[in-house]
Amino acid sequence: MGSLFRSEEMTLAQLFLQSETAYVCVSELGELGVVQFRDLNPDVNAFQRKFVNEVRRCEEMERKLRFIEKEIKKDGIPMLDTGDNPDAPAPREMIDLEATFERLENEMKEVNTNAEALKRNFLELTELKHILRKTQVFFDEAAFLQSAQMHDQPRQDEAQTLLGEEVSQAGIPALKLGFVAGVILRERIPAFERLLWRACRGNVFLKFAEIETPLEDPVTGDQVNKCVFIIFFQGEQLKTRVKKICEGFRATLYPCPETPAERREMAIGVMTRIEDLNTVLGQTQDHRHRVLVAAAKNIKVWFIKVQKIKAIYHTLNFCNLDVTQKCLIAECWCPISELEKIQLALRRGTERSGAAVPSILNRMSTKESPPTFNRTNKFTAAFQALVDSYGVASYREVNPAPFAIISFPFIFAVMFGDAGHGIVMALFGLWMVIKEKSLIAQKSTNEIWNTFFGGRYIILLMGLFSIYTGLIYNDFYSKSVNIFGSAWQSNYTLEDIEAHKVLQLCPNRINCTNLAKEPIHMDYRGYPYPFGMDPIWAISVNRITYTNSYKMKMSIIIGVAQMLFGVMLSIWNHRYFKEPLNIIAEFIPEMIFLNSIFGYLCVLCIYKWSVWPGDDAACAPSILLGLINMFLFKYEDYDDENIVCNQKTMFRSQQALQTLLVILAVLSAMVLLLVKPLYLRREHNKKLAIRSIADAVESAPEVTGEDVQIHDAQSRSSADPSPSGHGMDGEEFDFGDLFVYQCIHTIEFCLGCISHTASYLRLWALSLAHGQLSEVLWTMVLHMGFIFDSYAGAFVLFAVFAAWAMLTIGILLVMEGLSAFLHTLRLHWVEFQSKFYHGSGYAFLPFSFEVILDQAQASDHEVH
């Protein structure tokens, strides 16, 4: 299984890069994507690093590209994405890119400024055009009313001034009415009218009319609805007040001539200017469109180039300069298997840059734990992600992912066992697998869909395994299928079946009778149903009792088997990390403890299934009571005839065997608790004794000169190089802490075996819940479509089937499937992986252009 079973073997390497070749070499390593650089300047501020100016220039280019991209999207121009992955441009090409982006940005800003100014002038002229038209209508209506009043004598009084003849008799000249005209947003008209009335105390006359065509805002580009208004007033004071109110409501006032001839002349001039502006605006838009279309062809490639340049300089900031200021020194983690490819990449970088001095890669030794790198493909990536969500594996620790490929969908299927639902789930997963290339090309930004698509192989396997367990349970949308013919037959007559609602089938080889107490042949054919559960149980009244017993024992057996496998995997960790003490003091007692109690429990389940046939089923002892009596040391004599058969032990030597197993379990727990800390304390005391002897020899006078010095050196070499008070790994030895840790581990393991075994009963519980929910949907929904005998039943069945299908997908497939998925995840994280998996490592994050571009694309989707 190679690196899938364990993470890749890593090494720390030191790179010596010439200043003129560093950029190209890092670019080649970014294309390769198997090197993780370490920051050699962790205490240096990001703004004080050597290449901070280059990073800033890249960020400025990104800002300009985002501005151009925004303008392209605003015009709805498609951006060409050919899928090309250009190489990182040379440093000298960065100046050309900056100049190109600067020219495009300035050109777009100038075009936008000119277009905005032209649109503003166009808006003003359009509003003035509507004002001249609407005010002409106002004045025409006023002239018509005035002429009508002159010919209407009864309304003569209404044509008089407000003060009538008193004003003229008093010698006061009549005031001339003034007016202002303008445009205001339609939604501001009611408030505008109320404020005019209150502020001017009703001494103004407001007339407004709506502009039928929405106008374009020159700044935002939105369509807005406006109205033309004209206000009549008397006196300069009211004129000033009206203008201030118009200014407060952001109404635009325009000059409006008083005579019709002047208004017509102005309208002609306005129309002429509008036509000229339309021509100029069209030319401006055409020029803008041409510029953006040309930019849209290259903007994706530009983004890739700039992001690569930025990533390279950001990585170069991790490096140190040597004393000559001509060489960059970098440190990186890389897989040992990729060293040759890294050397070739450095050689290509040196050749591309034209340097005479080659770049040097030097492997370093370190005590620092390397990062964890598990190679994955599109099939194993989802399973590895499930494991890493719990915790990244420690370096070279056994990786649970390859085992989860089988165990995860199988345990899910045990809880989700229905062949019909499994077919739907498998078809959905198969569709995503077949269409994966086209679906990936769509680059969906929907997070929920991306989650499902990322786990398409998990969904496919979960569906296939659910079909298998559904056939084992003989469950197809809660109905059983009689494929091979039932292993049971009925010896009852038709009259007996019609007369009795419940009848019992006899599994015994002898003593079977009918309702008349007459001896009959047994109802069991003598051979089991070939595959899965017999369909006769589908119509049995004690079906749940039977399936509960079967699924409960099956859950315990599956759970103990998986936990036992997890403990067995721990020996691979102990052997690889050269920890023989852990094998003796942890692995062996853990295996003995787990098998003495729970392994033995599984053996009893299988033994009970195998030994007691239908004739003696009533004499089968209770496993639960037997397990309780095992720890109470309470047994009944196997040969005592006065004891009920189901209260006896299962076999004669069971008492002795169970007593031995309990003693082994207790002893293994004591070994697990005491052996390791006591052994480590003994070794530590030995090292202290050796060190004290070495110190005594060192302080003794030199009697034989050179011989004593040689002896002293040998004593030093045999002693522990760590300072006094340190343990085997160079860490300070504290027996109290070690003993407490071992106590916690022992208690956690022993109690965990009990709680984890009980936790696997969720397999039975969720399987029962899934089956009952499926049966409820069949009985209360789909079954309603079969109660009609007429042709109307077809239409009713169509509607009922639609409702049943939606509920099945929504509740059983999605909600119940998610519930089973989460329970499966918990069983793997807690019950299985806790037996061997520490998950205390950190992930290998290589410098890869592919990863960087994917992350940039994902962040762009989140922003938009």
Side-chain angles (χ1 to χ4, degrees):
M1 297 172 68
S3 61
L4 190 61
F5 183 71
R6 282 190 202 282
S7 60
E8 285 275 342
E9 195 172 352
M10 308 292 290
T11 184
L12 182 63
Q14 193 174 38
L15 300 178
F16 295 90
L17 308 173
Q18 298 299 316
S19 298
E20 61 271 16
T21 65
Y23 178 92
V24 184
C25 288
V26 172
S27 171
E28 290 290 340
L29 294 177
E31 298 290 350
L32 190 60
V34 293
V35 171
Q36 176 180 334
F37 286 90
R38 298 176 66 191
D39 190 358
L40 301 182
N41 308 299
D43 300 326
V44 180
N45 190 291
F47 300 101
Q48 297 175 344
R49 303 204 177 194
K50 179 176 177 58
F51 300 99
V52 64
N53 291 329
E54 285 78 3
V55 174
R56 285 177 175 171
R57 289 165 61 189
C58 292
E59 290 176 348
E60 180 66 16
M61 287 192 289
E62 282 185 328
R63 183 196 63 78
K64 294 174 181 177
L65 284 175
R66 284 195 294 270
F67 168 73
I68 298 170
E69 183 185 32
K70 179 183 176 182
E71 297 297 320
I72 292 173
K73 290 181 177 179
K74 186 187 293 184
D75 278 24
I77 300 172
M79 290 177 285
L80 182 63
D81 187 3
T82 59
D84 292 340
N85 185 18
D87 293 334
R92 57 181 175 273
E93 295 181 28
M94 188 174 174
I95 300 174
D96 299 334
L97 289 175
E98 285 180 310
T100 303
F101 302 156
E102 182 74 20
R103 176 179 56 79
L104 280 174
E105 184 189 31
N106 291 337
E107 189 171 3
M108 287 309 305
K109 285 183 177 180
E110 183 179 357
V111 169
N112 288 345
T113 303
N114 295 337
E116 185 177 340
L118 291 172
K119 288 180 180 179
R120 187 177 289 108
N121 292 337
F122 181 79
L123 177 65
E124 292 174 355
L125 291 174
T126 304
E127 290 177 349
L128 181 57
K129 178 187 71 174
H130 287 290
I131 286 175
L132 294 173
R133 289 180 179 177
K134 300 295 182 181
T135 52
Q136 184 63 41
V137 174
F138 295 158
F139 288 121
D140 291 344
E141 291 177 354
F144 176 76
L145 290 175
Q146 185 176 5
S147 62
Q149 288 174 358
M150 291 177 62
H151 295 86
D152 191 2
Q153 292 299 329
R155 295 186 178 183
Q156 182 107 15
D157 295 337
E158 297 179 7
Q160 294 179 357
T161 61
L162 295 176
L163 299 179
E165 295 179 357
E166 297 177 3
V167 176
S168 57
Q169 291 175 358
I172 302 175
L175 293 175
K176 183 180 180 181
L177 286 176
F179 68 91
V180 294
V183 175
I184 191 173
L185 291 174
R186 185 175 62 185
E187 57 268 20
R188 294 178 181 173
I189 282 292
F192 182 61
E193 188 175 7
R194 283 196 303 271
L195 187 59
L196 277 174
W197 176 263
R198 292 173 181 174
C200 301
R201 299 181 181 180
N203 291 316
V204 295
F205 177 72
L206 172 65
K207 186 77 174 177
F208 62 86
E210 184 176 351
I211 300 175
E212 294 81 5
T213 307
L215 304 178
E216 181 183 355
D217 191 315
V219 178
T220 63
D222 298 333
Q223 298 292 322
V224 293
N225 295 299
K226 293 188 175 183
C227 293
V228 172
F229 66 86
I230 184 168
I231 305 172
F232 295 93
F233 49 81
Q234 288 183 337
E236 290 295 324
Q237 187 176 1
L238 281 178
K239 180 179 180 181
T240 304
R241 190 174 299 176
V242 165
K243 286 187 175 181
K244 286 184 177 180
I245 294 172
C246 292
E247 183 180 353
F249 278 86
R250 296 183 182 178
T252 308
L253 299 179
Y254 291 95
C256 182
E258 296 184 359
T259 63
E262 291 177 347
R263 286 196 291 272
R264 277 194 298 273
E265 184 180 354
M266 179 178 284
I268 294 171
V270 166
M271 292 302 297
T272 304
R273 292 175 61 189
I274 286 176
E275 290 177 1
D276 295 340
L277 269 178
N278 270 327
T279 304
V280 177
L281 268 174
Q283 294 174 351
T284 304
Q285 289 297 335
D286 290 342
H287 175 66
R288 169 191 168 89
H289 188 77
R290 285 194 301 271
V291 172
L292 292 178
V293 167
K297 295 178 181 178
N298 301 312
I299 191 164
K300 293 291 185 181
V301 175
W302 287 340
F303 264 119
I304 293 174
K305 288 183 176 180
V306 172
Q307 286 163 357
K308 285 187 176 182
I309 296 172
K310 181 181 176 182
I312 291 171
Y313 281 117
H314 181 72
T315 303
L316 289 175
N317 278 330
F318 290 168
C319 304
N320 269 339
L321 280 171
D322 70 337
V323 292
T324 63
Q325 300 289 316
K326 294 182 179 179
C327 178
L328 286 173
I329 303 173
E331 291 182 5
C332 60
W333 292 107
C334 56
I336 292 179
S337 59
E338 301 288 346
L339 285 175
E340 186 176 351
K341 292 183 180 179
I342 296 172
Q343 294 277 17
L344 291 175
L346 293 176
R347 193 174 301 128
R348 285 196 303 270
T350 304
E351 291 173 356
R352 282 179 52 192
S353 60
V357 181
S359 300
I360 301 172
L361 184 145
N362 178 35
R363 291 182 61 179
M364 301 172 60
S365 60
T366 178
K367 293 183 178 180
E368 184 180 348
S369 178
T372 301
F373 176 41
N374 292 301
R375 291 189 187 274
T376 59
N377 51 38
K378 61 183 180 181
F379 177 72
T380 60
F383 294 97
Q384 189 66 55
L386 291 179
V387 173
D388 291 344
S389 297
Y390 175 78
V392 178
S394 303
Y395 177 64
R396 301 292 288 170
E397 186 179 21
V398 171
N399 183 19
F403 311 108
I405 293 174
I406 299 300
S407 64
F408 192 91
F410 174 72
I411 291 181
F412 171 87
V414 171
M415 295 182 278
F416 195 77
D418 189 296
H421 299 154
I423 289 173
V424 176
M425 183 175 290
L427 289 176
F428 176 60
L430 183 62
W431 173 78
M432 289 192 290
V433 170
I434 294 174
K435 297 287 186 179
E436 65 180 11
K437 289 186 178 179
S438 59
L439 294 174
I440 291 173
Q442 292 178 6
K443 297 179 180 179
S444 173
T445 59
N446 189 298
E447 186 175 355
I448 296 177
W449 163 253
N450 289 336
T451 302
F452 278 104
F453 182 72
R456 57 193 179 278
Y457 289 99
I458 298 180
I459 294 174
L460 175 61
L461 288 180
M462 290 192 304
L464 295 176
F465 276 85
S466 296
I467 296 173
Y468 168 74
T469 54
L471 294 175
I472 292 291
Y473 298 157
N474 204 344
D475 231 351
F476 191 87
Y477 295 112
S478 79
K479 296 288 124 181
S480 294
V481 182
N482 192 359
I483 301 175
F484 304 105
S486 175
W488 294 80
Q489 61 185 356
S490 174
N491 290 312
Y492 293 103
T493 63
L494 183 60
E495 291 78 9
D496 292 337
I497 295 175
E498 292 177 348
H500 297 82
K501 186 176 181 180
V502 178
L503 292 171
Q504 182 175 351
L505 297 180
C506 179
N508 301 337
R509 295 184 179 89
I510 58 174
N511 299 328
C512 289
T513 59
N514 58 13
L515 295 176
K517 303 300 181 181
E518 298 172 350
I520 59 173
H521 192 268
M522 68 174 181
D523 296 318
Y524 180 56
R525 298 183 187 272
Y527 56 86
Y529 192 71
F531 185 81
M533 196 173 293
D534 197 301
I536 195 68
W537 290 104
I539 58 174
S540 173
V541 294
N542 62 337
R543 175 189 179 185
I544 293 182
T545 305
Y546 167 74
T547 54
N548 278 355
S549 176
Y550 164 70
K551 291 181 179 179
M552 189 186 303
K553 293 181 178 65
M554 179 195 65
S555 301
I556 295 297
I557 293 172
I558 292 174
V560 173
Q562 189 176 31
M563 289 192 297
L564 189 61
F565 180 63
V567 177
M568 291 175 64
L569 286 176
S570 65
I571 195 172
W572 270 270
N573 285 333
H574 299 327
R575 292 181 61 186
Y576 178 81
F577 294 113
K578 297 179 174 58
E579 298 171 336
L581 177 61
N582 286 351
I583 297 177
I584 298 171
E586 290 186 357
F587 170 72
I588 294 177
E590 286 176 358
M591 288 290 290
I592 294 174
F593 183 87
L594 185 59
N595 283 292
S596 297
I597 302 175
F598 302 101
Y600 175 67
L601 176 63
C602 296
V603 172
L604 288 182
C605 292
I606 299 173
Y607 182 77
K608 183 177 178 180
W609 284 338
S610 306
V611 171
W612 277 271
D615 301 295
D616 301 328
C619 288
S622 170
I623 294 179
L624 180 59
L625 293 178
L627 189 65
I628 295 173
N629 292 332
M630 175 179 174
F631 291 96
L632 296 178
F633 298 99
K634 179 181 177 182
Y635 300 97
E636 300 293 345
D637 188 1
Y638 183 81
D639 297 321
D640 192 348
E641 299 294 339
N642 298 322
I643 299 175
V644 181
C645 60
N646 61 5
Q647 294 182 3
K648 294 182 180 181
T649 57
M650 291 186 176
F651 47 91
R652 282 189 174 85
S653 57
Q654 185 176 3
Q655 178 178 354
L657 177 61
Q658 292 187 168
T659 303
L660 176 62
L661 290 177
V662 171
I663 294 173
L664 286 175
V666 174
L667 290 177
S668 63
M670 298 303 295
V671 170
L672 185 62
L673 174 64
L674 299 174
V675 170
K676 184 176 180 179
L678 292 178
Y679 177 81
L680 290 178
R681 182 183 182 185
R682 177 187 168 204
E683 292 296 312
H684 176 67
N685 291 335
K686 278 185 180 180
K687 291 191 176 185
L688 289 180
I690 294 173
R691 187 176 293 112
S692 63
I693 294 173
D695 292 340
V697 172
E698 183 179 1
S699 61
E702 294 186 4
V703 179
T704 58
E706 185 178 352
D707 295 336
V708 173
Q709 295 178 5
I710 295 173
H711 175 74
D712 180 48
Q714 292 175 348
S715 300
R716 285 174 177 273
S717 63
S718 63
D720 184 15
S722 61
S724 178
H726 283 57
M728 299 177 67
D729 298 326
E731 299 178 357
E732 186 175 351
F733 183 83
D734 190 327
F735 178 75
D737 289 347
L738 182 62
F739 187 76
V740 170
Y741 173 80
Q742 196 65 22
C743 285
I744 294 173
H745 175 73
T746 304
I747 295 172
E748 182 183 13
F749 179 80
C750 296
L751 295 182
C753 287
I754 301 172
S755 63
H756 293 172
T757 303
S759 179
Y760 275 96
L761 290 175
R762 71 185 69 231
L763 301 178
W764 153 60
L766 266 77
S767 175
L768 174 65
H770 186 84
Q772 292 301 304
L773 280 172
S774 182
E775 189 169 351
V776 166
L777 284 182
W778 177 277
T779 305
M780 301 188 66
V781 181
L782 189 60
H783 182 69
M784 303 300 293
F786 297 102
I787 61 177
F788 297 95
D789 295 332
S790 61
Y791 289 106
F795 299 98
V796 174
L797 181 61
F798 180 81
V800 169
F801 177 81
W804 174 81
M806 288 189 294
L807 291 173
T808 297
I809 294 174
I811 297 177
L812 292 178
L813 288 177
V814 178
M815 295 177 62
E816 187 71 15
L818 181 60
S819 173
F821 180 89
L822 294 176
H823 282 284
T824 307
L825 198 60
R826 180 241 151 78
L827 289 176
H828 277 77
W829 281 356
V830 180
E831 278 71 20
F832 174 54
Q833 292 179 191
S834 63
K835 300 295 183 291
F836 67 97
Y837 186 70
H838 293 92
S840 56
Y842 62 101
F844 176 63
L845 302 175
F847 171 63
S848 170
F849 287 145
E850 182 180 359
V851 175
I852 292 171
L853 295 176
D854 289 342
Q855 291 175 348
Q857 187 177 16
S859 62
D860 288 343
H861 288 161
E862 290 178 2
V863 170
H864 298 306

